[in-house]
Amino acid sequence: MIDHLGIEFTAIGDDFLEGTMPVDHRTIQPYGLLHGGANVVLAETLGSLACSLTIDTSKQICVGLEINANHLKSVREGKVRGVAKPIHLGKTTQVWEIKIFNEEEKLCCISRITMAILDKK
């Protein structure tokens, strides 16, 4: 999905993970607007990877429990940029907020994902 939609990871910091996604034929809906589902894919990708960066992946995995998204502004072209930041970093669950911005740095979507941290079997 990451390659198919053209998602790229662009920055990492002590408390965030950032990535971009193009607004093109792969990510728009029939009206020419960025598809809400594509926003959710970007948000879940960033939240899931961010979660995995906080655990020992030789012993544990992160899986999504719940995700929501509010689509605030339409986007027709260019790229969007998502930034994932932690809200709660527990031993068995994590909650991440992902804000998605257009190229003018206007907030176009806000999402929250709850991740479960499971021991590998």
Side-chain angles (χ1 to χ4, degrees):
M1 183 84 66
I2 294 168
D3 289 338
H4 180 71
L5 295 184
I7 294 171
E8 295 180 353
F9 302 102
T10 55
I12 187 170
D14 290 339
D15 69 343
F16 74 93
L17 178 66
E18 180 182 293
T20 61
M21 182 177 64
V23 180
D24 63 17
H25 67 281
R26 299 169 290 181
T27 58
I28 60 171
Q29 40 91 312
Y31 300 117
L33 304 172
L34 178 60
H35 195 291
N39 275 335
V40 174
V41 169
L42 177 59
E44 182 145 3
T45 299
L46 291 171
S48 294
L49 180 58
C51 179
S52 71
L53 293 172
T54 69
I55 63 169
D56 181 349
T57 56
S58 69
K59 298 178 183 175
Q60 297 177 309
I61 62 169
C62 299
V63 296
L65 283 177
E66 189 272 341
I67 189 165
N68 67 48
N70 296 102
H71 309 291
L72 306 172
K73 187 170 190 57
S74 62
V75 182
R76 291 187 175 275
E77 61 187 10
K79 281 187 178 182
V80 290
R81 180 178 64 87
V83 180
K85 291 190 174 199
I87 295 172
H88 167 73
L89 299 176
K91 291 181 183 179
T92 59
T93 62
Q94 292 187 3
V95 178
W96 290 81
E97 176 184 77
I98 302 93
K99 291 182 177 179
I100 301 174
F101 301 90
N102 64 17
E103 290 184 321
E104 290 78 38
E105 291 300 314
K106 293 183 180 172
L107 184 64
C108 56
C109 179
I110 187 164
S111 180
R112 188 182 65 238
I113 188 168
T114 304
M115 303 296 298
I117 301 170
L118 306 175
D119 292 330
K120 283 188 175 179
K121 295 184 181 190

